[in-house]
Amino acid sequence: MSGYRRPTSSALDCVLSSFQMTNETINIWTHFLPTWYFLWRLLALGSSGFPAEPYHLPLLVFLLPACLYPFASCCAHTFSSMSPRVRHICYFLDYGALSLYSLGCAFPYAAYSMPASWLHGRLHQFFVPTAAFNSFLCTGLSCYSRFPELESPRLSKVLRTTAFAYPFLFDNLPLFYRLQLCWGRTHSCGQEALSSSHAYHLLCALLTGFLFAARLPERLAPGRFDYIGHSHQLFHICAVLGTHFQLEAVLVDMRSRRAWLTMQEPTLGLEATMATLSMAVIGNLLIIAAFTASLLRSPGTCPLLQGGPLGQELQAKQQ
């Protein structure tokens, strides 16, 4: 209800606003700082000899989009007040980064976390290619969800929630299967056992989805959480914590299952990994370009570019 920036800010104004208290300030910093944390983890692992071993490649592939998605989100929140068109384009790129992150999760899960009974089965063989296809669906559906945002906000919310819930559910199928295998057992599950980091990751993911859909706590006390404590800030924090615990869980599976996995046939080599990643990046960029072109062709009178009642009111005050 308050704390908004001018809807026609310059790029410099947007950057400077990150050092002022607005309703976007904490959104910016809760993803800017984690970008550097995940980059540090990537560089630390990269300097310890990890890249020299093909076994570690899926982990490094996971860390690349783990660095990208918080940075893209930070940029989207920083520059979203330049104009309605810039705002939508920023979030198109944000959604694309999240889609690539969902694909990045599939690589270590396919390499280190598959249940024993799934190894080299049909799902295992098509797990990463399906995740790549899911990234296209995620980007396309989430970008499209911005177009009916003003006229049908509920439809927009359902589309966007579905766009990100589906890849999450697919990526975590190996964990859900291992969880149900070990549920209620009094003895060790051996290779199928999940670590506490897996549990924390899934808990953070559930909290992230709940906060995104429920809009709590600001719905209970409108205006009180405009600057600190609203759901999108908590959503950011839970998402980053979830990625941290996911990284720790992947490291546990990678190390504890290595002796067993090395006796199995390898899944994806370097060439296949790079080909899949390249196709996913190009495909997602093409989808974003298509929606951006559609947006740029839209007339200024289009409801999508009006910024809503609040944007019109702020523009009137500025004039």
Side-chain angles (χ1 to χ4, degrees), residues 136 278-288:
F136 300 148
S278 300
M279 289 178 61
V281 170
I282 293 170
N284 278 281
L285 286 176
L286 288 174
I287 293 171
I288 292 170

Side-chain angles (χ1 to χ4, degrees), residues 180-190 192:
Q180 68 89 19
L181 281 178
C182 298
W183 191 266
R185 286 195 180 186
T186 56
H187 57 278
S188 173
C189 292
E192 311 297 2

Side-chain angles (χ1 to χ4, degrees), residues 176-240:
F176 295 146
Y177 185 78
R178 288 168 60 188
L179 181 64
Q180 68 89 19
L181 281 178
C182 298
W183 191 266
R185 286 195 180 186
T186 56
H187 57 278
S188 173
C189 292
Q191 300 295 344
E192 311 297 2
L194 297 179
S195 69
S196 58
S197 294
H198 283 110
Y200 294 142
H201 157 59
L202 293 175
L203 176 61
C204 287
L206 290 174
L207 283 173
T208 300
F210 171 77
L211 290 166
F212 181 79
R215 299 295 187 191
L216 292 173
E218 64 267 21
R219 288 177 63 180
L220 303 178
R224 183 168 295 181
F225 300 99
D226 285 355
Y227 292 90
I228 299 176
H230 61 72
S231 62
H232 203 83
Q233 296 169 356
L234 302 177
F235 162 81
H236 274 203
I237 293 169
C238 288
V240 166

Side-chain angles (χ1 to χ4, degrees), residues 27-247:
N27 287 336
I28 294 169
W29 287 97
T30 49
H31 269 177
F32 179 73
L33 296 177
T35 298
W36 294 100
Y37 167 72
F38 291 122
L39 183 60
W40 169 70
R41 295 295 301 266
L42 173 62
L43 294 176
L45 290 171
S47 62
S48 61
F50 264 53
E53 293 191 54
Y55 180 74
H56 297 142
L57 180 62
L59 173 66
L60 299 178
V61 170
F62 163 74
L63 276 169
L64 290 173
C67 297
L68 177 64
Y69 91 81
F71 180 72
S73 172
C74 166
C75 291
H77 284 284
T78 300
F79 299 106
S80 61
S81 64
M82 289 183 66
S83 73
R85 279 192 173 89
V86 171
R87 173 181 175 82
H88 292 301
I89 293 170
C90 282
Y91 283 107
F92 290 164
L93 293 168
D94 183 21
Y95 301 153
L98 282 170
S99 300
L100 290 175
Y101 170 67
S102 74
L103 171 60
C105 297
F107 283 94
Y109 282 177
Y112 313 129
S113 302
M114 279 287 160
S117 60
W118 289 12
L119 281 179
H120 311 303
R122 188 64 59 87
L123 178 61
H124 190 200
Q125 292 173 354
F126 289 98
F127 191 75
V128 171
T130 304
F133 177 74
N134 290 344
S135 74
F136 300 148
L137 290 178
C138 178
T139 300
L141 197 58
S142 56
C143 288
Y144 173 75
S145 72
R146 299 197 68 82
F147 286 80
E149 200 167 37
L150 292 179
E151 291 127 338
S152 303
R154 184 170 296 180
L155 172 63
S156 175
K157 190 67 173 289
V158 169
L159 291 174
R160 201 170 304 163
T161 303
T162 303
F164 296 113
Y166 165 64
F168 164 78
L169 293 173
F170 177 82
D171 285 348
N172 286 276
L173 282 176
L175 302 188
F176 295 146
Y177 185 78
R178 288 168 60 188
L179 181 64
Q180 68 89 19
L181 281 178
C182 298
W183 191 266
R185 286 195 180 186
T186 56
H187 57 278
S188 173
C189 292
Q191 300 295 344
E192 311 297 2
L194 297 179
S195 69
S196 58
S197 294
H198 283 110
Y200 294 142
H201 157 59
L202 293 175
L203 176 61
C204 287
L206 290 174
L207 283 173
T208 300
F210 171 77
L211 290 166
F212 181 79
R215 299 295 187 191
L216 292 173
E218 64 267 21
R219 288 177 63 180
L220 303 178
R224 183 168 295 181
F225 300 99
D226 285 355
Y227 292 90
I228 299 176
H230 61 72
S231 62
H232 203 83
Q233 296 169 356
L234 302 177
F235 162 81
H236 274 203
I237 293 169
C238 288
V240 166
L241 286 175
T243 304
H244 163 74
F245 287 120
Q246 187 178 26
L247 171 59

